[in-house]
Amino acid sequence: MKTILLHIDGDTCMDARLQVAMDIARASNGHITCLQSVSYEVFAPGDFYGSAMAAAMPRIKEAAENLRAKIEADLANEDVSFEWRFLYGMAENRLLEQSALHDVIIVGPHDIGEDGKRGPSAMAGELALRAPAPVLVVPGDWNRMDTRAPALIAWNGSSEACAGMRAAVPLLKLAGKTYLATVAEDLEKQRFDFPTSEAAMFLSRHGIKVEVIEIPRGKGRISDTLVSAAQHRECGLFVMGAYGHSRLSELLLGGVTRRILSDPPMPILMSH
């Protein structure tokens, strides 16, 4: 992946996704676009006279400048190509706008200001649904990304799974091994619009050999079953389609996407 869009924010997961961005850039001879976005819109609803915003602006700007100085100093000591873009506005909107000419968007697992809160990032979900580039969600405890480690593709034959797999091709070419994992379901519940054989053939045309694994359904959640399969095989990347059902259904009833993003065990690459 040659052009990497990295979300810059002062959250606890920043160091992890910065390291992952550098690892991918080195492995693919890529370029990192560091996008820092600052918004004052959070004050607008109750700040009728602008007093709260006026008081907070200097502190917000100073914190943003300090974060930029720190990260630029760190990057200056690394052998990676990068640039800095500072924009005003909501981070989700600015990332979406800039994603058109990038190969991947790297974000953390939490929304801004919600460090440590268990639950999927709304921003990551919206970007996966709307952005033309795939989204890579990096957990805060992920120290580095070994691009040669095995990768697992969560496969159910849907168009969303196809989109996730296609988007992951550049990283799958780097992986030491690729698994195409399906979870066995009752026949009436299966949704194999595209069978695993077609997915394997698609990847083979890109020079990627896969091992197809079918996992018994069991009594646990599908998300837990897939994550366990990836961890058992020491995978460094989990690839999936985002929100295979309607978004409202996912939010109300849960779903594989929602559950895995609530507590990502490893970098999750997803597309819709």
Side-chain angles (χ1 to χ4, degrees), residues 55-258:
M57 281 178 64
R59 295 195 299 272
I60 294 174
K61 187 175 181 181
E62 180 182 8
E65 291 173 347
N66 290 339
L67 179 61
R68 175 174 181 170
K70 176 185 180 300
I71 293 178
E72 285 190 320
D74 292 341
L75 285 169
N77 296 319
E78 304 290 342
D79 55 338
V80 294
S81 170
F82 76 95
E83 65 181 282
W84 198 276
R85 295 184 186 178
F86 178 86
L87 300 171
Y88 287 105
M90 299 295 288
E92 174 187 320
N93 296 335
R94 298 298 169 256
L95 288 165
L96 181 60
E97 292 168 357
Q98 298 294 313
S99 65
L101 287 178
H102 287 83
D103 296 319
V104 65
I105 310 167
I106 300 182
V107 300
H110 308 294
D111 286 321
I112 295 173
E114 296 188 355
D115 269 357
K117 181 179 178 181
R118 295 181 66 86
S121 166
M123 181 175 75
E126 285 299 317
L127 288 172
L129 286 173
R130 299 173 60 195
V135 176
L136 182 65
V137 180
V138 179
D141 58 355
W142 204 258
N143 296 324
R144 64 181 298 268
M145 184 170 183
D146 181 2
T147 56
R148 297 167 298 179
L152 183 139
I153 304 168
W155 187 257
N156 68 349
S158 66
S159 59
E160 294 83 11
C162 293
M165 181 182 69
R166 287 199 317 271
V169 164
L171 291 177
L172 297 177
K173 287 183 176 181
L174 300 173
K177 190 165 188 177
T178 299
Y179 297 98
L180 193 63
T182 64
V183 176
E185 290 275 17
D186 296 334
L187 291 178
E188 66 271 19
K189 294 181 180 179
Q190 286 186 347
R191 184 191 170 187
F192 278 82
D193 300 334
F194 298 94
T196 52
S197 58
E198 286 196 33
M201 182 61 69
F202 171 85
L203 291 174
S204 71
R205 295 188 181 109
H206 288 275
I208 301 167
K209 294 182 179 180
V210 301
E211 179 180 335
V212 177
I213 54 176
E214 183 173 306
I215 309 167
R217 175 66 175 87
K219 296 182 179 179
R221 295 175 173 176
I222 294 178
S223 56
D224 295 336
T225 300
L226 289 168
V227 165
S228 295
Q231 291 175 326
H232 177 71
R233 291 163 176 79
E234 299 182 338
C235 293
L237 178 68
F238 189 101
V239 178
M240 64 185 296
Y243 298 107
H245 306 292
S246 72
R247 184 68 190 281
L248 178 61
S249 173
E250 289 275 359
L251 289 173
L252 294 177
L253 304 176
V256 175
T257 307
R258 181 173 173 82

